[in-house]
Amino acid sequence: MPTGARPGPPRARASLPAERAGAGPPGAGPAGPRGAAQQRARGARGVRSRAAARDAALDGARPGAGPGAGAGAGRGAGPQAAAPQGDLLFLLDSSASVTHYEFSRVREFLGQLAAPLPLGPGAVRASLVHVSSRPHSEFPFDRHGSGAAVQDAILTAAQRMGNTNTGLALAYAKEQLFAEAAGARPGVPKVLVWVTDGGSSDPVGPPMQELKDRGVTVFIVSTGRSNRLELSAAASAPAERHLHFVDVDDLPIIAGELRGAILDAMQPGQQQPQLRASEVTSSGFRVSWPPLLTAASGHYVLEAAPAAQPAAARRQQLPGSATSWAWAGLAPDTDYRVELRPEPHLRPAAPLLLRVRTLPEEAGPERLVVSHVRPHSLRVSWAPAGAPGYHVQAGPLRGGAAQRVEVPAGRNSTALRGLAPGTAYLLTVTAAFRSGRERALSATACTPEAERARAPRPAPPPGPGARGP
């Protein structure tokens, strides 16, 4: 992870407001050919309405704001936009993999992100959870009632150190987001903002998918050398709106854009029905959706097609009472475009879309080979299984302490040192996959006895012609 500003252009750029992007303020006349102007106006109408709602919410949260101080003041009379409401959880990497400098910059960024938000009992509530060896809650949702108070609490949070057990922290975050004891509220939008340097000591995919399956909107900010494919799958769709890659010193660049996206996710009426994927494996996944029809009012047509081969689509007709379907027999490590088309008897309904990537083939390591056997060391190799990582364990067959070596992806051998001579060992190579599943293969090997030091040979007696001293 970078610890200082680098020369050159930043890796992230904040989006321009709609007015500066060519869509003028409400009531502005056409700026160009009439057809093009009308097309731009139609495309910008939704953006302006969301921006106006955010402005109204932020204006209402500012000290001294009175009636009429919202986004519509000075632009003509109109209905007051409803304030956003939701539970916002910040997930902060507080482990030893983050330097103190990086931790302080991320902490400042989260404080800057939270300060202007319309926080309060009937609006947005915020909580902060640390990622460490064990998750730690810095403050619950109902502790602070203003953006300034949340900012102060974030800035005084101390780094926890320890391991980067993000998966454990995500499981804890899911409990907090839906626990009334933690100040969470039922029936309001849930948003998670995860700031990471890209590494985790435990699987992230399954607990993150459970969060999204329960309707949580996930934003991810990566400040390190993260795997773009893995984080794209972890963030809510579309990834270009919910995933940011930015240097730690350039975090303020995305604060405004990210804050606006968070408020959009919490706007009343913005929570649209959507497809959700779960139980993702190398050969299939389950798709679920909220009830949109009944058995008497229509049926669904569900389609899944490889993104690179639309003609290879698979279709399934389902009754109107269905709310999920499990696809099986799919290709591993493949992007699929999923479309659910409700077919009601009366009026047409819009389709729901989703992109899901199946996991790589989860075959375990094969053909374990032991070589370079010495009294205190040996080398173990295996046929690669395409896993994100491996761990190799060696333990004496007759009992005793075992040693474990982590092997990154791309390597298929490692040396084991510090072994005891003349000892039989059980060697186990385990492939760890993003799904949390593991595949292992074992073999035995015996180290030879150490060579005993030989006594020096006595000097040969002098020959008959040798001279004496």
Side-chain angles (χ1 to χ4, degrees):
M1 175 185 283
T3 58
R6 294 188 176 93
R11 293 164 57 193
R13 294 286 303 275
S15 298
L16 291 175
E19 289 83 359
R20 294 180 59 190
R34 176 177 299 178
Q38 291 175 345
Q39 186 175 5
R40 285 196 301 270
R42 285 193 299 269
R45 192 172 296 129
V47 175
R48 286 201 303 270
S49 63
R50 290 195 299 270
R54 291 200 303 266
D55 291 344
L58 293 175
D59 286 343
R62 294 187 183 110
R75 301 186 193 175
Q80 180 70 29
Q85 186 179 30
D87 293 335
L88 170 63
L89 190 144
F90 295 114
L91 192 63
L92 174 62
D93 189 347
S94 190
S95 67
S97 70
V98 179
T99 68
H100 291 298
Y101 173 78
E102 294 162 348
F103 181 79
S104 65
R105 294 309 304 263
V106 173
R107 189 173 54 186
E108 292 171 7
F109 164 69
L110 292 181
Q112 176 189 10
L113 190 66
L117 289 174
L119 281 102
V124 179
R125 287 182 175 180
S127 176
L128 175 67
V129 170
H130 292 265
V131 176
S132 184
S133 296
R134 297 192 64 81
H136 173 75
S137 176
E138 184 71 24
F139 53 85
F141 291 103
D142 55 359
R143 174 74 56 81
H144 303 294
S146 69
V150 169
Q151 183 181 34
D152 290 343
I154 292 174
L155 293 179
T156 57
Q159 189 171 1
R160 309 289 297 182
M161 307 302 287
N163 295 326
T164 315
N165 290 333
T166 308
L168 192 62
L170 287 169
Y172 178 77
K174 183 185 72 172
E175 297 174 2
Q176 297 294 294
L177 278 165
F178 295 94
E180 294 188 35
R185 297 163 292 177
V188 301
K190 310 288 183 178
V191 175
L192 174 78
V193 176
W194 173 32
V195 184
T196 175
D197 68 347
S200 179
S201 304
D202 57 350
V204 170
M208 186 67 85
Q209 189 61 55
E210 290 180 17
L211 279 166
K212 292 188 290 185
D213 288 344
R214 295 199 62 175
V216 178
T217 302
V218 177
F219 293 92
I220 301 177
V221 178
S222 172
T223 61
R225 299 180 181 90
S226 306
N227 185 308
R228 181 177 291 270
L229 182 62
E230 291 181 356
L231 291 188
S232 296
S236 292
E240 57 268 19
R241 181 168 173 81
H242 297 86
L243 176 61
H244 298 269
F245 288 88
V246 58
D247 288 343
V248 69
D249 289 302
D250 295 329
L251 283 168
I253 295 174
I254 66 168
E257 179 183 357
L258 179 56
R259 188 186 304 114
I262 292 170
L263 290 174
D264 281 347
M266 295 182 175
Q267 283 290 343
Q270 293 297 320
Q271 299 293 309
Q272 301 295 329
Q274 55 184 302
L275 289 176
R276 304 190 187 280
S278 61
E279 303 173 24
V280 182
T281 68
S282 58
S283 61
F285 50 83
R286 177 174 292 277
V287 181
S288 57
W289 57 92
L292 305 174
L293 302 172
T294 65
S297 65
H299 65 274
Y300 298 102
V301 175
L302 183 64
E303 180 178 294
Q309 296 178 296
R314 296 172 57 178
R315 294 177 181 83
Q316 183 71 33
Q317 182 170 314
L318 301 169
S321 57
T323 56
S324 71
W325 177 260
W327 290 107
L330 304 181
D333 202 18
T334 302
D335 276 315
Y336 280 87
R337 181 183 183 275
V338 182
E339 179 177 353
L340 178 72
R341 295 193 299 272
E343 302 283 352
H345 297 321
L346 298 178
R347 56 182 181 180
L352 306 183
L353 303 175
L354 178 68
R355 292 181 74 94
V356 185
R357 187 176 185 87
T358 53
L359 298 176
E361 191 70 52
E362 295 184 348
E366 299 178 353
R367 299 190 299 276
L368 230 59
V369 176
V370 179
S371 60
H372 300 83
V373 181
R374 304 287 187 271
H376 296 282
S377 66
L378 57 82
R379 176 169 288 277
V380 59
S381 308
W382 58 91
Y390 306 88
H391 55 261
V392 180
Q393 184 168 298
L397 284 175
R398 294 186 177 181
Q403 67 165 285
R404 173 173 165 144
V405 177
E406 301 292 336
V407 181
R411 293 179 51 188
N412 65 326
S413 70
T414 188
L416 299 173
R417 298 181 175 86
L419 305 179
T423 303
Y425 283 89
L426 176 65
L427 309 176
T428 303
V429 178
T430 303
F433 296 95
R434 290 198 304 264
S435 65
R437 298 182 180 89
E438 295 183 339
R439 300 287 186 271
L441 183 65
S442 298
T444 58
C446 186
T447 54
E449 293 285 352
E451 295 184 5
R452 296 181 179 179
R454 296 179 181 178
R457 294 182 180 179
R467 298 179 180 177

